[in-house]
Amino acid sequence: MIKMYHVNMSYRKGVNTLEDITLNIKKGEFALLTGPSGAGKTTLLKLLTCQERPDDGQIVVNGRNIARIKQSQLYRHRRDTGIVFQDSKLLKDQTVLDNVAMPLEIRGKSRKEARHKAWNLLRDVGLHKKAGSYPLQVSGGEQQRVAIARALVGRPSILLADEPTGNLDSENSEYILNLLEAANKADTTILVATHDETLIRKHSCRLLTLKEGRMVSDKRPLAPIISGDDVG
């Protein structure tokens, strides 16, 4: 699903932002990407969405080598990848409903069909009653729920989230992670960059750790221990 082979990336000559990154995230996995500020988490996600290009190495997403992808093919890759940012990046002059419907309209769906699917997804995240509100009329936690709905409305195979709970309190942070876990159970591969230690401790999932641009740890959740009483 997501494969990186010996990827290097630098913004300044001689100073690597990411160094020799190799990883393999399989279809249906839920992984957290952590590390201190400046470790390279955002840069790694930007490489996966082709906002940045690696200096060398290979990046394969959904079987497509995106390290050298042509500009004309970018839309196909991004169509399969949902993105959630820390500040939600909602359009302030559009309603909650229109923000969620917009990706479908861009892909050629009728306004009626796009808004119908958007409303259903807002219902799933508990915000259908706010469909006619504008982003500045809802709370920060609700804005992030709208952003997740917008990222999922096109049924992407992969969802990338960059510090989606960074501006939220613990209750809203937990709600956002629960929404992402629900999307994962519906067969979306999830990669979340976060430095939220509380969430990291609470959620048993794969944990990738970056430090100074290098992958220093890759811990997978332990399989449950099955006792003799559980067998048969």
Side-chain angles (χ1 to χ4, degrees), residues 45-96:
L45 294 185
K46 285 183 175 180
L47 288 174
L48 295 177
T49 56
C50 297
Q51 296 176 68
E52 300 288 354
R53 298 296 179 99
D55 296 327
D56 49 59
Q58 298 296 318
I59 305 174
V60 179
V61 179
N62 282 333
R64 185 183 296 119
N65 184 349
I66 66 169
R68 301 291 182 265
I69 194 170
K70 295 180 180 179
Q71 193 72 24
S72 60
Q73 298 175 332
L74 272 178
Y75 81 96
R76 292 183 179 177
H77 169 60
R78 290 175 175 166
R79 182 180 60 191
D80 294 331
T81 306
I83 309 171
V84 180
F85 302 95
Q86 180 174 346
D87 62 356
S88 77
K89 297 191 181 301
L90 300 177
L91 298 177
K92 303 299 189 292
D93 61 343
Q94 300 290 316
T95 66
V96 163

Side-chain angles (χ1 to χ4, degrees), residues 94-95 97-102 104-106 108-119:
Q94 300 290 316
T95 66
L97 181 64
D98 287 334
N99 265 279
V100 178
M102 187 171 298
L104 295 179
E105 293 190 59
I106 290 174
K109 300 293 184 182
S110 70
R111 181 172 173 80
K112 181 179 180 180
E113 181 182 359
R115 286 166 66 88
H116 176 70
K117 289 185 176 181
W119 192 92

Side-chain angles (χ1 to χ4, degrees), residues 155-166:
R155 297 185 179 276
S157 58
I158 297 170
L159 189 146
L160 307 173
D162 190 6
E163 299 285 2
T165 65

Side-chain angles (χ1 to χ4, degrees), residues 40 43 46 73 75 79 103 134 141 152 166 183 201 204 209 212 225:
T43 299
K46 285 183 175 180
Q73 298 175 332
Y75 81 96
R79 182 180 60 191
Y134 289 86
L152 292 174
R201 287 193 300 269
S204 177
T209 303
E212 297 180 350
I225 298 174

